[in-house]
Amino acid sequence: MSARQLALPVAVLIGLSAFTADQIASILGLRAALATSAQERAAQTKPLESAQRIERQLDALASGTVGLASGGDPVAQRIASAMQASGIELRSHQDGPKT
């Protein structure tokens, strides 16, 4: 084969090599982003669980206050009125969890 005949296959191989290197770099970048995302998600687990626990506790307090207010407790009635005036949704345990 002459140099002229080899020029096209060599050019194609160089082009394919550059394309392959670019694809590999993209894949490595995606894997790094995925690993970072997994670490960030894991870091959010404890704060999320803590927030959910606090929300359940506050729901229980509000629900208990509604129960006392329904039973005629004047202090609970004032607290429930103030909470409702602040835009806090109140419901009893029988109403079930928020959706």
Side-chain angles (χ1 to χ4, degrees):
M1 269 188 159
S2 69
R4 187 179 202 123
Q5 291 173 324
L6 287 175
L8 181 60
V10 169
V12 170
L13 286 174
I14 291 171
L16 287 174
S17 296
F19 176 76
T20 302
D22 183 55
Q23 293 301 308
I24 290 170
S26 294
I27 290 169
L28 293 175
L30 289 172
R31 289 187 68 166
L34 181 60
T36 300
S37 177
Q39 290 172 346
E40 289 172 355
R41 183 177 177 153
Q44 293 175 353
T45 301
K46 278 195 173 191
L48 178 61
E49 289 171 354
S50 179
Q52 290 169 336
R53 180 180 48 81
I54 291 168
E55 183 177 13
R56 286 190 303 271
Q57 291 171 342
L58 291 173
D59 281 346
L61 284 171
S63 179
T65 303
V66 168
L68 290 171
S70 297
D73 184 308
V75 174
Q77 289 172 346
R78 285 196 307 270
I79 292 171
S81 293
M83 292 171 75
Q84 288 173 329
S86 296
I88 297 171
E89 179 185 335
L90 297 177
R91 61 189 183 291
S92 66
H93 279 297
Q94 292 93 8
D95 293 339
K98 284 193 292 189
T99 55

